[in-house]
Amino acid sequence: MSSELSILALAGLWTMVTILIQVLAAFGRVGLVALANPRDDLGPLDGVAGRLDRAQLNSVIALALFAPAVLLLAVQGVSTSGTLLAAQLFLLARIVYVAIYAAGIPWLRTGVWMAGFLATAYLYVMAL
């Protein structure tokens, strides 16, 4: 298994951790009964719980873009120092992104998001 595939597995695990953190924050905000119900009347979460909700949704979307790029590279047998660095940058950016989003730091969050997005774009270019 290539290092990029290992990073993909770690990114998947981090996304699962992000979801768990968000659920725990929502639990602390609205309680178990509200989370166990269909949530039709729950409304949007606010504060840290709301930011974590948005961060975990963004993380799932980012993973959905990152995974095909890594899989395309793996199928083609492409693994370079550049693709490895891009995959590492993506994972680091996703970890930092969640922490920054939860803390409510807007401009830095955008910069970190862009770094992960550009790393993913680089992987697609390398897969062409």
Side-chain angles (χ1 to χ4, degrees):
M1 178 161 65
S2 73
S3 296
E4 291 87 348
L5 285 172
S6 295
I7 292 170
L8 174 58
L10 290 171
L13 287 171
W14 173 248
T15 302
M16 293 177 72
V17 168
T18 301
I19 292 168
L20 180 60
I21 292 168
Q22 185 278 323
V23 168
L24 292 173
F27 172 76
R29 188 83 173 143
V30 299
L32 181 59
V33 173
L35 293 178
N37 283 304
R39 302 182 193 184
D40 294 334
D41 300 322
L42 183 60
L45 295 167
D46 60 357
V48 174
R51 290 191 299 273
L52 283 168
D53 189 46
R54 293 184 296 277
Q56 67 86 19
L57 176 61
N58 186 277
S59 294
V60 170
I61 293 168
L63 184 62
L65 291 172
F66 177 70
V70 171
L71 295 174
L72 283 167
L73 291 171
V75 166
Q76 296 174 4
V78 175
S79 179
T80 69
S81 60
T83 59
L84 178 58
L85 180 61
Q88 291 168 334
L89 177 61
F90 171 84
L91 179 59
L92 180 62
R94 294 315 308 169
I95 293 168
V96 172
Y97 177 85
V98 171
I100 289 172
Y101 205 148
I105 306 169
W107 289 102
L108 184 57
R109 182 193 81 218
T110 302
V112 170
W113 177 89
M114 184 58 73
F117 186 81
L118 291 174
T120 302
Y122 176 80
L123 294 174
Y124 277 105
V125 169
M126 295 305 293
L128 292 176

